[in-house]
Amino acid sequence: MINATNVTKKFGDLTALDNVGLTVETGSVFGLVGSNGAGKSTFMRAISGIYRLDGGSISIDGRDISQGPEVRNKLIYVPDDLYFIPNSNMDSMARLCANSRTDFDEKLYAELSDKFEASRKKPIRTMSKGMKRQAALILAIASKPDILLIDETFDGLDVIKRHDMKEILCDAVADRGLTVILATHSMREVDDMCDTIAMLHKGRITLQSELDEAKTVLCKVQIAFPDTFNQDAVEFEGAGIVNFKCDGTVATVIYENGREEVERQLKAKNPLLMNVLPLSLEEVFIYKNR
Amino acid sequence: MNAIKNFNKAILPKFKKSLYFEGLRQLRIGGIVLAVLVALGSAREYLGNISFNTKGAFPLRYSLIQELPIVFSDTAWLVFFLCAIFAVIAAFTLTSFTRSAKARDFYYATPHAGGTLWLNFAAACLTWIAAGAGSFLLVSCLFLMPFDAKIFGVCLFIACNVLAAVFMVFAMAMLAISLTGRLINALVNLLGLSVISTCVKIAFSEGYNVVYSSFHLLVPSSELYGYDPVYHIYRRVFFDYGGSELIEFAPEYAVFASWSTVGYCLLWGCVMLAAAAFFMTIRTGDSAGQPFVNKAAHVISLTVDYLPVAVVLAMILREATLSIRDGGIVIDGQSIVNTLIVLLIIFGCCWGLELLLTFDVKHSHRSFMLMPIPIALALIIMAVGYFDSKAEFNTTPTADEVESFTLVRNDSLPDELVMFRLRDTLGRWVTDETEIKDSAIIEYATAQLKDLSDRYGDNFEKAYQGRFSMMDYDNAPIRDGKKLISIRLNLKNGKRITRLIGFDDEHITALQNVFLNNGEYMKKFLALPSADQVNAVVDEAYGLTREETKAIYKSFLKEYNALSDEEKLAFMREAMELSYRMNSDEVIEGEETPVQTVTPTDISLISKSKEVGQYGIVMSYLTENNENYGPSLTIAINGYPEGHLYEYEKWYDYSLSVRSKQFPKTVALIVKTCNAKFADAQKEFKASAEKQKKLDYRTDELSVAYITRSKTLNVRYILIIGAKQEESVLNFPGNKAMYLSDDEPETIIKEVEVDSDAMVKELFADIQSTETIDFTRPYACVRWFNSVDDDFTVYTFFAQTDFPDAAA
């Protein structure tokens, strides 16, 4: 289990992470979503031990990461901007991984390379962006980590490979309790894979919950009245309207409140029509952080 | 508290085999290329030297041993250069995680501390560097050990020397890298560290005084400091390695006296590497790409980077604002204006450096805040120099305060005293063990010192008073008509000071007499090693074998030991006159042997030019037939006691000229031995005579000189058929015919380039129709070296004559 408490990281005058606290359960797939510059990558690097924290602490299975590099023995970070040794190929990178980590599985590496038809001898610098990402993921998975942090998870992968990679990750989670943290802009990936999500905005956590719960933190309602109306008509005390879109006598409204309260309040206004619509994760992200 | 303890323990660098091998693997291509380049480069140098020596008149084995310092300096420089380049590139390559965010994200996320990564990668770099030095050692052994198995010790030592120097460069690079997260800053750091390393070296080396004063800081003159080996960590360290200075000053010490250099390089390298390890251990991933990794590194970086600026500033400040006289230059002008200019220069330097280090144009005005750093450093340098100089001025002992003095060994002892340092073992005795208590000399030396101190002290004060005119300074010549000798004064209060004093002829003679009157010294001086003690007897004249020269040397010793001390001394002095020379490459015709007495009429035959030993034969022949000199054989004896091959100070180095008047039996033996050699040479030459008739003048091996009378022209002429040979002193400029006057045979009337086959044939026909050549008689040749810039023209003439018979 990864436990972050009041994590603060500053770069000069900029506070990249501001008292961030969250918990990632072992064997879960955790989605970290946020706008550009929200602090996702900084947080990933903080967990990886790359950055020294200015405040707070991060522990992995109860051991503070500041206790030394051994704490992150079973952790692998796949950054957005990938590193490969100059003029290396996948095999030479595999040897680097094998030399710098204890559990690198040569057999698994060979299997995954075959499965993804990766050119192991081809210089990585000549590969496309997607192929590089694929190579990095193969190497990371073959290192058999307990915790895998992936920044911009499947950026550049085609649909089929993306699907296969997801499957492999999910299998690893199911089979050996791999914990995955995905930092991404893609809500679809999070929707597809994650059990839990956290939303980061300007260095702060704006939401952390189970995926399904996350979609209910807001309430989207389609409502109609006999005559044309404005936002005041659907307002009530503590309504917290984050979006109001009216088309004649029908409007779509998103409330910060829970579904029960909204339904109760709106029914009291005798609308012609009232439907509670499902919210996408993207909508939650947009309206939660706007 | 425990947490801190655990934390520190956890981040301490650890050796991890897998990471070490990973480092080796990543550098394998560079490392292998380095080893191959070093091997090929060294092999090329050795082959070149062996090739050169086989073309010369020296027996290969001994000439190689004799020229070891030169051979090694050429080769070791190349090896050092290659290894140092590799070391810097490897250091920067393997530590990319300190600068690149991408690499940082990869490496810092591994379960290894930054220090551990650094330690293992550094070990990998050093292993490949060692492989490069090992390759050098292997090639050196392969090429040189066949000549003398004992050379292994020297080879090993030179390889260690190179390795230590490269280690220091590597340590410098690692420290430069560890202080910053940016490439450009690391390079600037490396430059600064190089300056510091050089300064440290200067402070502890013989060059201390010379270089110190040439920096034009505050030392008025090296005279006040003398040349004091007390400061020695001997001579060769990193930056000397970068040039030919490895042998430039004193070929006799060269690489052999530099264990201390190895020590310096290792010690200083370890200090820098330890500092680098410290900074790498405490730095985190945050610092990649940042100009400075933490406050401590920031301060050190700035100091290191600004030091070169400060040194220059100290010089400018001294010259421009204080008008200190340096090398006769005094800047005239207003002090305030000069000071403003200096301040402007300081600001320019600071601004430029700040911009370079931070790439931040917007905030480059911060450089104002940094200005105090170079100014403070410059002032510190000036202050140290000032007080150092003041201290020297104030130490001017009177004759009563001086107990004795000793000569300080250096390479600039006047000729009159050269004989006293003929052998290094004696040189040490003369300089370190002989305390001179002659009151007249002490009186003279202290008076000179007082005068010296007064003049410089006065000039020094005037400089600080802001006097700008040269007229203000007392520039009375101190050295005129005197010979400068460094002496170490041993004061009665136990203090020792070293000064460079000008000695006039009278006192030089007095100094000589001190040694001549010293029975113990003369006993040591006049004793020669036995033939068994001598490991190498090099005959540069007749191409004799080692056994033959040893036999001659034994005969010589027998006769020598029978002489009185006066006769021995006379012989030693004369031998010195005849054989003194700076360097075996610098053979100056007419000085070493009286060949100028030869006229073209003496030269009657033609032959090939590159027969080994011919030059020496003619030299000897001419010497023997010159009534001023008498017959002689010059034998250079290089020897080293068992187990001291690499301790050159213990080598014997004699050059003896044996004369018939003094050593008749030896000369008889020489003539007998040499005539036997001539017989062999005759046989060999007879065989080649047939080939001579079928001259192929275009082969590289060929060079022929003819001197004859032309059949068609009413002049004598010499035809030089030359062949161009690259990379050799035997570099012929081309084919040439020279027409000589009949009346004045040494005057060349005109020269003609022989540039066509037809012309050569015509000239050959002309020659062959005039004279018959008898190749069966003893012959000899002499070469004239004409040097214009770097091009050597070699004229070879052969003299045919009867050599003196042994029985006669």
Side-chain angles (χ1 to χ4, degrees), chain B residues 13-266:
Chain B
K14 296 181 187 73
F15 181 75
K16 302 231 164 140
K17 209 164 67 178
S18 58
L19 280 180
Y20 168 69
F21 282 116
E22 177 57 33
L24 286 181
R25 197 178 65 79
Q26 288 193 28
L27 290 175
R28 66 191 184 286
I29 295 173
I32 292 167
V33 168
L34 171 75
V36 171
L37 280 180
V38 164
L40 291 177
S42 328
R44 185 185 170 279
E45 290 290 338
Y46 291 138
L47 282 173
N49 273 290
I50 290 169
S51 164
F52 173 76
N53 280 293
T54 46
K55 283 173 187 165
F58 315 125
L60 185 59
R61 173 183 169 139
Y62 301 121
S63 57
L64 263 182
I65 294 171
Q66 195 180 33
E67 291 170 16
L68 265 184
I70 299 167
V71 171
F72 273 124
S73 63
D74 288 350
T75 318
W77 183 87
L78 176 77
V79 175
F80 167 76
F81 180 74
L82 289 172
C83 289
I85 296 281
F86 171 82
V88 173
I89 293 175
F92 275 86
T93 305
L94 277 189
T95 54
S96 59
F97 59 89
T98 62
R99 299 179 302 278
S100 150
K102 279 202 289 188
R104 180 269 320 267
D105 283 353
F106 182 89
Y107 284 109
Y108 271 91
T110 59
H112 308 294
T116 300
L117 289 168
W118 178 89
L119 173 75
N120 290 282
F121 287 169
C125 288
L126 285 171
T127 305
W128 279 117
I129 291 166
S135 163
F136 170 53
L137 176 63
L138 186 68
V139 174
S140 302
C141 290
L142 279 176
F143 276 87
L144 299 178
M145 278 182 66
F147 299 106
D148 191 332
K150 287 175 188 165
I151 286 179
F152 175 73
V154 185
C155 295
L156 181 65
F157 173 70
I158 303 299
C160 288
N161 215 331
V162 170
L163 192 60
V166 177
F167 170 72
M168 193 175 79
V169 174
F170 175 71
M172 256 188 247
M174 287 308 244
L175 180 56
I177 291 165
S178 71
L179 291 171
T180 180
R182 283 184 37 207
L183 180 65
I184 186 73
N185 295 52
L187 291 172
V188 175
N189 286 345
L190 184 57
L191 178 71
L193 286 168
S194 305
V195 172
I196 291 175
S197 298
T198 308
C199 291
V200 171
K201 167 242 152 183
I202 288 168
F204 289 97
S205 69
E206 188 187 32
Y208 168 68
N209 307 295
V210 180
V211 181
Y212 195 16
S213 60
S214 72
F215 269 156
H216 294 186
L217 297 175
L218 280 171
V219 183
S221 171
S222 57
E223 276 92 337
L224 272 177
Y225 288 85
Y227 298 91
D228 189 351
V230 167
Y231 293 111
H232 284 192
I233 292 188
Y234 260 105
R235 4 194 137 201
R236 315 296 166 200
V237 281
F238 168 52
F239 273 93
D240 282 354
Y241 242 116
S244 59
E245 285 188 28
L246 198 63
I247 58 159
E248 197 171 296
F249 285 169
E252 69 270 28
Y253 298 110
V255 287
F256 295 95
S258 28
W259 276 117
S260 46
T261 299
V262 174
Y264 166 75
C265 290
L266 288 178

Side-chain angles (χ1 to χ4, degrees), chain A residues 125-151:
Chain A
R125 67 183 154 78
T126 64
M127 291 180 176
S128 68
K129 183 184 173 189
M131 286 167 78
K132 283 180 184 167
R133 168 105 357 217
Q134 174 186 285
L137 287 169
I138 289 172
L139 291 165
I141 294 165
S143 298
K144 290 197 134 178
D146 286 348
I147 299 167
L148 180 58
L149 313 178
I150 314 176
D151 204 345

Side-chain angles (χ1 to χ4, degrees), chain A residues 51-230:
Chain A
Y51 286 156
R52 184 173 291 174
L53 304 180
D54 293 313
S57 64
I58 297 173
S59 64
I60 296 174
D61 294 334
R63 289 180 68 196
D64 196 296
I65 57 161
S66 65
Q67 283 179 12
E70 285 78 14
V71 178
R72 52 178 192 266
N73 191 23
K74 303 285 275 179
L75 177 149
I76 284 191
Y77 170 49
V78 181
D80 178 24
D81 201 359
L82 298 167
Y83 170 77
F84 299 102
I85 301 168
N87 298 318
S88 61
N89 56 29
M90 275 187 70
D91 278 351
S92 56
M93 284 304 294
R95 276 195 290 277
L96 170 59
C97 293
N99 282 330
S100 53
R101 299 186 176 276
T102 47
D103 292 332
F104 188 79
D105 188 337
E106 297 274 359
K107 199 175 152 199
L108 180 59
Y109 163 68
E111 281 173 14
L112 290 173
S113 300
D114 292 343
K115 182 179 172 73
F116 285 93
E117 296 172 348
S119 316
R120 290 161 58 175
K121 301 287 179 196
K122 186 178 176 184
I124 293 176
R125 67 183 154 78
T126 64
M127 291 180 176
S128 68
K129 183 184 173 189
M131 286 167 78
K132 283 180 184 167
R133 168 105 357 217
Q134 174 186 285
L137 287 169
I138 289 172
L139 291 165
I141 294 165
S143 298
K144 290 197 134 178
D146 286 348
I147 299 167
L148 180 58
L149 313 178
I150 314 176
D151 204 345
E152 298 305 339
T153 324
F154 306 121
D155 197 15
L157 291 188
D158 64 42
V159 180
I160 298 169
K161 283 179 179 163
R162 189 178 290 222
H163 175 263
D164 290 349
M165 200 60 84
K166 278 180 192 170
E167 255 186 15
I168 289 165
L169 283 175
C170 291
D171 287 351
V173 171
D175 295 347
R176 54 185 184 85
L178 170 69
T179 307
V180 181
I181 301 181
L182 307 176
T184 181
H185 291 108
S186 167
M187 299 302 151
R188 197 178 145 195
E189 275 170 17
V190 175
D191 223 350
D192 284 355
M193 291 184 67
C194 296
D195 311 316
T196 318
I197 65 161
M199 286 183 186
L200 262 175
H201 186 61
K202 293 184 178 172
R204 287 172 171 272
I205 295 280
T206 53
L207 170 75
Q208 184 188 354
S209 72
E210 297 288 316
L211 182 67
D212 294 337
E213 271 180 34
K215 292 176 184 173
T216 61
V217 295
L218 299 178
C219 179
K220 184 177 177 183
V221 180
Q222 189 182 46
I223 192 163
F225 288 98
D227 301 315
T228 55
F229 60 96
N230 59 16

Side-chain angles (χ1 to χ4, degrees), chain B residues 422-423 522-529 552-573 575 654 656-658 662-666:
Chain B
L422 181 64
R423 277 170 284 172
M522 288 309 289
K523 198 176 164 190
K524 285 184 181 183
F525 176 67
L526 296 174
L528 293 177
I552 293 170
Y553 182 62
K554 272 185 180 174
S555 164
F556 161 75
L557 266 186
K558 205 172 170 185
E559 289 188 285
Y560 173 80
N561 288 331
L563 299 176
S564 68
D565 281 0
E566 287 70 28
E567 286 170 326
K568 282 180 184 171
L569 185 62
F571 163 73
M572 285 288 193
R573 282 177 156 170
Y654 299 93
L656 306 174
S657 258
V658 183
Q662 292 165 304
F663 308 102
K665 286 180 187 169
T666 307

Side-chain angles (χ1 to χ4, degrees), chain B residues 286-517:
Chain B
D286 309 41
S287 54
Q290 299 300 312
F292 307 110
V293 297
N294 55 43
K295 279 180 185 168
H298 192 158
V299 171
I300 292 173
S301 274
L302 284 178
T303 310
V304 163
D305 297 344
Y306 275 97
L307 193 73
V309 177
V311 171
V312 176
L313 270 181
M315 289 158 61
I316 298 173
L317 272 172
R318 180 173 143 73
E319 291 268 349
T321 63
L322 298 173
S323 287
I324 302 297
R325 171 184 166 269
D326 266 325
I329 300 168
V330 176
I331 298 176
D332 288 328
Q334 294 298 317
S335 262
I336 293 172
V337 173
N338 285 336
T339 308
L340 284 175
I341 292 170
V342 171
L343 287 174
L344 209 62
I345 292 169
I346 298 170
F347 174 68
C349 291
C350 294
W351 186 79
L353 205 55
E354 174 73 9
L355 205 61
L356 189 69
L357 297 178
T358 59
F359 283 168
D360 188 353
V361 184
K362 216 161 98 183
H363 297 101
S364 60
H365 61 271
R366 284 186 302 206
S367 54
F368 274 120
M369 290 155 67
L370 297 174
M371 274 177 68
I373 297 176
I375 293 174
L377 287 173
L379 290 176
I380 289 169
I381 292 169
M382 289 177 71
V384 168
Y386 177 82
F387 288 113
D388 200 18
S389 301
K390 283 293 264 186
E392 295 301 324
F393 292 134
N394 293 334
T395 315
T396 312
T398 63
D400 293 339
E401 292 170 320
V402 178
E403 175 78 36
S404 65
F405 72 89
T406 51
L407 297 181
V408 173
R409 187 153 53 138
N410 59 53
D411 302 325
S412 58
L413 279 177
D415 290 346
E416 290 86 343
L417 291 176
V418 160
M419 63 180 294
F420 297 107
R421 55 157 206 163
L422 181 64
R423 277 170 284 172
D424 272 316
T425 42
L426 277 177
R428 173 169 286 174
W429 196 89
V430 166
T431 52
D432 293 344
E433 296 171 29
T434 307
E435 284 196 18
I436 300 164
K437 296 185 175 176
D438 186 301
S439 57
I441 305 178
I442 291 175
E443 191 85 40
Y444 176 79
T446 48
Q448 290 293 304
L449 183 58
K450 180 79 174 55
D451 180 54
L452 188 72
S453 184
D454 285 349
R455 287 175 200 278
Y456 280 114
D458 195 34
N459 288 349
F460 194 68
E461 291 303 325
K462 283 172 187 167
Y464 277 91
Q465 287 162 13
R467 298 196 193 178
F468 301 124
S469 169
M470 282 293 286
M471 298 301 289
D472 284 337
Y473 295 93
D474 183 359
N475 293 316
I478 293 166
R479 304 181 180 206
D480 271 9
K482 291 173 185 168
K483 276 149 186 162
L484 296 173
I485 301 175
S486 277
I487 59 170
R488 186 184 302 117
L489 295 161
N490 305 310
L491 306 188
K492 285 175 181 164
N493 61 10
K495 203 177 168 186
R496 301 201 307 176
I497 60 167
T498 304
R499 297 288 185 268
L500 191 66
I501 302 289
F503 277 80
D504 57 20
D505 289 344
E506 183 192 338
H507 290 90
I508 288 277
T509 310
L511 267 180
Q512 274 189 357
N513 289 334
V514 167
F515 293 102
L516 291 175
N517 296 331

